[in-house]
Amino acid sequence: MPDLVPMTYQLAWPFAIAVAWLAGEFGYRLTGLPRISIYGLMGFAFGALLIEVLPQSETDTFMLLANIAFGLMLFEMGYRINLHWLRANPWIAVMGAAEAIATFVAVYVVAQLFGTPTLPALLLGSLAMATSPAGMLRVINEQRSSGQVTERALHLSALNCVLAVFTFKVIIGIGVFQTSGSLLSAAWNSLVVLAVSAGLGALLGWAVPGLLRRLGNLSRDATLAFAIAVILLVAVTHAFKFSPLLATLTFGLVARHRRVTLNKTQRNFGVMGDLLSVVLFFFVAATLAWGRVIDGMPLALALVAARFVAKVAGVTVFARVSGVSWRKGALTGLALAPLSVFMVLMLEQTRRMGVDLVDSLVPVAALALVLEVIGPIITQRALIWANETPDSEEE
């Protein structure tokens, strides 16, 4: 007779993910809310019940799957970035830098007002600069959105991620130096990791399109080849404790400008991408501890408000000079709401490097939960209000 308790734990993850998928499908049809918001709610409920008793080996496996799912989305994000557009309209880059800096300052000031020590406040500011490409892309693809707000939000999200990773790694390096006094350790945990991660992504971005050209029939082979390359890149950077986030984003950016023609299944990487996105948003929410969410909620709500104000104001100020109306500028700022997946995976990657920041960043769990649920909803509404979705005229 098999032992039913271990067997139940082993079946918990697959059954929970199946339930989350069903909830997402029915919830989307009944309410119109983004599926990923519902996945997040289901993941948090599951984590509050069982995450503490599940085998650590299974948790590690799902963390790797989450990183692969995030890597696929980051590749797609990088692939959709048009550097020629940024050169033609440099105000978009100025807008992105301005709103990222405004967000950093606003979140840092609010965290300090709540009594957060300097280093954790700086880290919170750097994380808040980002906009999660995973949440952004899933909503855009789900809504089939296209237009000025959509494209600007995508480009600003990519720029935000690069600035956030760079700032976060530099602050981590400073923290490591203050703790250990080792300049080598500080440099390794910041600049070296950034340089190697970007270099690996650029190398694959140059090599894979070249290989596809040698093989021929790019439209048939490109999606599979890029998916395999992303999985390999995530596995290597995950194993050697580099940054899968920066590596996959760079991979997509370089691959796009190598002029490879991709077929329509590139979006979301087809069924595999859809499956892994359920795992990603469900698992990230499942890692959030109920106690930490409650303890950090007051500060988290203040940080969410400061972040929204800074991003909307930072984008809106440069709206007219960059070629859109004030209204579309404000809607672009609203669309930059998602954050949680980026934040949780960044902290997990840092923990794997030997720097555990979860206990010192009290509001992170609550901040991640709030933005996992409401961030995609705000992005969805911003795209609809901008009349950039097929159903906008019916709203």
Side-chain angles (χ1 to χ4, degrees):
M1 186 79 179
D3 192 340
L4 293 181
V5 174
M7 184 180 294
T8 301
Y9 289 155
Q10 290 173 3
L11 295 175
W13 280 111
F15 273 109
I17 290 173
V19 171
W21 174 75
L22 287 171
E25 293 301 313
F26 283 109
Y28 178 73
R29 285 164 172 75
L30 292 174
T31 67
L33 295 178
R35 292 176 175 86
I36 57 177
S37 293
I38 300 171
Y39 298 157
L41 282 174
M42 296 298 295
F44 181 67
F46 173 76
L49 294 173
L50 290 177
I51 195 69
E52 296 296 332
V53 298
L54 290 173
Q56 185 61 39
S57 59
E58 292 191 18
T59 303
D60 291 341
T61 299
F62 275 91
M63 181 59 74
L64 179 59
L65 287 175
N67 273 289
I68 290 173
F70 196 45
L72 291 172
M73 294 177 190
L74 282 163
F75 172 85
E76 183 180 351
M77 170 71 78
Y79 196 85
R80 294 177 68 168
I81 300 305
N82 187 347
L83 293 179
H84 299 302
W85 185 39
L86 295 179
R87 284 196 290 267
N89 189 354
W91 282 110
I92 295 175
V94 173
M95 175 194 295
E99 61 90 1
I101 293 170
T103 302
F104 177 87
V105 173
V107 169
Y108 171 76
V109 170
V110 170
Q112 287 270 278
L113 291 175
F114 274 75
T116 306
T118 299
L119 186 61
L122 290 170
L123 290 170
L124 285 170
S126 65
L127 289 171
M129 292 167 70
T131 298
S132 178
M136 174 77 65
L137 274 174
R138 291 304 302 187
V139 173
I140 287 174
N141 290 342
E142 186 173 84
Q143 298 298 129
R144 291 172 292 148
S145 174
S146 62
Q148 288 181 322
V149 171
T150 301
E151 290 305 315
R152 284 167 183 256
L154 278 171
H155 284 70
L156 290 176
S157 175
L159 182 60
N160 283 347
C161 285
V162 173
L163 292 174
V165 171
F166 177 79
T167 306
F168 184 81
K169 292 294 186 182
V170 169
I171 294 171
I172 287 292
I174 294 171
V176 170
F177 180 72
Q178 290 177 343
T179 303
S180 65
S182 171
L183 185 61
L184 179 60
S185 296
W188 178 263
N189 282 282
S190 55
L191 300 181
V192 173
V193 168
L194 291 173
V196 173
S197 301
L200 288 172
L203 178 62
L204 276 186
W206 174 84
V208 175
L211 177 63
L212 288 171
R213 288 192 179 90
R214 293 292 299 273
L215 293 175
N217 201 351
L218 298 180
S219 62
R220 185 193 68 189
D221 299 327
T223 299
L224 179 59
F226 281 125
I228 292 173
V230 168
I231 293 171
L232 177 62
L233 183 58
V234 170
V236 170
T237 51
H238 188 75
F240 288 95
K241 302 179 181 179
F242 294 123
S243 174
L245 187 154
L246 186 58
T248 49
L249 186 63
T250 305
F251 178 23
L253 184 64
V254 174
R256 175 199 171 100
H257 291 83
R258 291 275 286 162
R259 295 289 188 273
V260 175
T261 303
L262 300 177
N263 59 15
K264 63 182 180 180
T265 60
Q266 180 66 36
R267 177 164 292 192
N268 285 342
F269 280 91
V271 174
M272 180 183 69
D274 291 336
L275 171 61
L276 288 176
S277 72
V278 180
V279 175
L280 173 63
F281 290 98
F282 177 85
F283 177 76
V284 164
T287 63
L288 305 177
W290 174 261
R292 286 198 174 105
V293 169
I294 297 299
D295 293 341
M297 187 59 75
L299 176 53
L301 292 176
L303 295 179
V304 167
R307 180 176 179 270
F308 280 161
V309 170
K311 286 195 172 295
V312 173
V315 175
T316 305
V317 165
F318 292 94
R320 295 302 294 271
V321 295
S322 67
V324 294
S325 65
W326 299 116
R327 180 176 179 273
K328 287 202 170 184
L331 290 174
T332 302
L334 281 176
L336 299 176
L339 175 64
S340 58
V341 168
F342 174 92
M343 178 185 294
V344 171
L345 293 184
M346 276 289 291
L347 291 174
E348 172 60 21
Q349 291 162 15
T350 306
R351 184 190 65 79
R352 285 175 51 80
M353 295 170 62
V355 183
D356 195 343
L357 300 169
V358 174
D359 291 332
S360 61
L361 300 180
V362 176
V364 159
L367 190 62
L369 179 63
V370 170
L371 291 176
E372 170 121 5
V373 176
I374 71 168
I377 296 173
I378 293 173
T379 299
Q380 181 195 55
R381 301 318 302 177
L383 297 175
I384 292 173
W385 292 336
N387 296 317
E388 296 188 0
T389 68
D391 301 327
S392 296
E393 295 180 357
E394 301 176 8
E395 295 295 325

